[in-house]
Amino acid sequence: TRLLQSWYDTAVAGAGAARHLPQDKIVAALEASPQFSEDARARGLIDNIGFDDDAQNAAVARAGDGAKVVPIAKFIRAQRDSGAFGSGPRIALIQASGEIFDGGAGGANDVIAGDDLSKAIRDAAQDKDVRAIILRVDSPGGSVTASDQILDAVKKAQKAGKPVVVSMGGVAASGGYYISASANGIVAEPGTITGSLGVLTGKISLQRSLALAGIGADTIGIGHNALYNSMFQPYTDEQLAALNHEADAIYADFTQKVADGRKLPLAKVQDIAKGRVWSGADAQGNGLVDELGGFWTAADSAKKLAGIAPGDAVSFRLYPRKKGLFEAIDTLLGGSPTAVRTVESFVSLMNAAPVRAVIGTVNEMPRGGVELRATNLPR
């Protein structure tokens, strides 16, 4: 309830400032919903009524003579191909978006891979032209070991003299906050889901559920706890005690690292932890966030920490430069004709119905191990 109220208050305040309306007028307009667009215009929520081409024409007219529409894909491609944009002192920009996993991403673009992201941070730290690092975090959490690996890379970058500023997107929870904890500055949007300083672990045991459907499943393991993470066997009392101890130890380590990174008393961190999620606005009030704002607020903070004058232009270097499938295979195979045949075979294989079914099943299977994951958030 508090999270929703914070979001609502932030939205009302922002809309009132942008529309030059008292907040009580905004609230009254919202509470009159659902409403037609004519009503919204009469209440000052919108300026005009029209269709998509009307909006596009209005934008072009506002841009002035000689303006033209450029597809966003073309704009992004031009920036990506250059590897850097802007001019002036260099700031590294590293994207950390998605669930946090151990190892490498293996070509997936919607996850945070511990090996890949920590290497990107190390590469940026070793670049003599980089004056500061902006880590853009949008993650509900994930593997504790991968989160710890990334946090270590951040700390080593700071020791190398590269200040790190975290810019939080929609979610920076659990492991997403873990990797941010030691940053020199943390910037969040007012509505960012922030914190969830907690540890979630366990497994789903299907043995008794399957028995209700008349299905039996036998498992075989060699070793005392070989079936510790098996979905076909519930935890024994001994295993459950070990699991709880493991979660307690990781939780204690997590809260201590937040206390160290944020320079807060451990008792205060323990009070605001307990797995609770905060809005960015509330997180600023309890010390988990330094400033409220978006990417450019974080950029201004990074410039200040790097000793760059506020009015000076900067350039941004993206780490790592992502390779597409064709480029990656071409590099792997040295540009030989084999590459083309490999791509064709690979695409055919991945599109085959049996393969897609297996991949889907594997992705839906419960994962073992302890993960720093924000509870009640979409997977």
Side-chain angles (χ1 to χ4, degrees), residues 301-348:
S301 179
K303 287 171 62 176
K304 182 178 180 180
L305 290 168
I308 302 171
D312 289 354
V314 295
S315 63
F316 295 96
R317 177 72 183 182
L318 306 180
Y319 290 85
R321 288 192 64 187
K322 294 186 181 298
K323 292 182 177 181
L325 174 62
F326 286 87
E327 184 181 358
I329 294 180
D330 181 67
T331 300
L332 179 65
L333 300 179
S336 69
T338 308
V340 177
R341 293 193 295 273
T342 301
V343 171
E344 292 174 346
S345 300
F346 179 79
V347 172
S348 298

Side-chain angles (χ1 to χ4, degrees), residues 169-376:
V171 182
S174 202
Y177 192 87
Y178 191 113
I179 67 176
S180 309
S182 76
N184 300 84
I186 297 178
V187 179
E189 299 282 0
T192 300
I193 295 178
T194 313
S196 182
L197 310 184
V199 180
L200 174 66
T201 186
K203 68 179 180 181
I204 297 175
S205 176
L206 301 177
Q207 187 180 51
R208 294 172 185 170
S209 299
L210 292 174
L212 294 175
I215 301 173
D218 291 324
T219 52
I220 299 173
I222 303 300
H224 184 57
N225 284 316
L227 301 177
Y228 185 79
N229 286 321
S230 171
M231 69 178 70
F232 299 112
Q233 174 180 293
Y235 289 119
T236 65
D237 291 341
E238 178 188 357
Q239 290 172 341
L240 191 58
L243 185 75
N244 281 318
H245 172 71
E246 185 180 7
D248 289 342
I250 294 172
Y251 180 73
D253 182 59
F254 187 5
T255 51
Q256 185 63 60
K257 284 174 176 171
V258 172
D260 294 341
R262 300 301 300 158
K263 297 179 175 56
L264 293 172
L266 179 59
K268 180 176 181 179
V269 174
Q270 291 171 336
D271 185 56
I272 62 178
K274 305 175 184 177
R276 177 174 174 176
V277 294
W278 304 87
S279 69
D282 287 344
Q284 184 188 32
N286 60 35
L288 293 177
V289 167
D290 295 305
E291 295 181 82
L292 298 181
F295 172 80
W296 294 110
T297 303
D300 289 340
S301 179
K303 287 171 62 176
K304 182 178 180 180
L305 290 168
I308 302 171
D312 289 354
V314 295
S315 63
F316 295 96
R317 177 72 183 182
L318 306 180
Y319 290 85
R321 288 192 64 187
K322 294 186 181 298
K323 292 182 177 181
L325 174 62
F326 286 87
E327 184 181 358
I329 294 180
D330 181 67
T331 300
L332 179 65
L333 300 179
S336 69
T338 308
V340 177
R341 293 193 295 273
T342 301
V343 171
E344 292 174 346
S345 300
F346 179 79
V347 172
S348 298
L349 175 64
M350 297 307 291
N351 284 332
V355 174
R356 294 178 66 84
V358 170
I359 292 174
T361 301
V362 171
N363 286 337
E364 293 171 0
M365 289 179 64
R367 300 182 182 89
V370 177
E371 297 190 335
L372 297 166
R373 187 187 307 284
T375 56
N376 300 322

Side-chain angles (χ1 to χ4, degrees), residues 75-98:
F75 175 76
I76 293 174
R77 191 180 306 115
Q79 290 188 337
R80 181 191 63 200
D81 291 345
S82 67
F85 51 97
S87 60
R90 180 175 294 178
I91 293 177
L93 176 56
I94 302 174
Q95 177 79 4
S97 178

Side-chain angles (χ1 to χ4, degrees), residues 6-23:
S6 179
W7 282 348
Y8 188 82
D9 294 343
T10 298
V12 167
R19 301 303 302 168
H20 306 291
L21 292 172
Q23 291 189 26

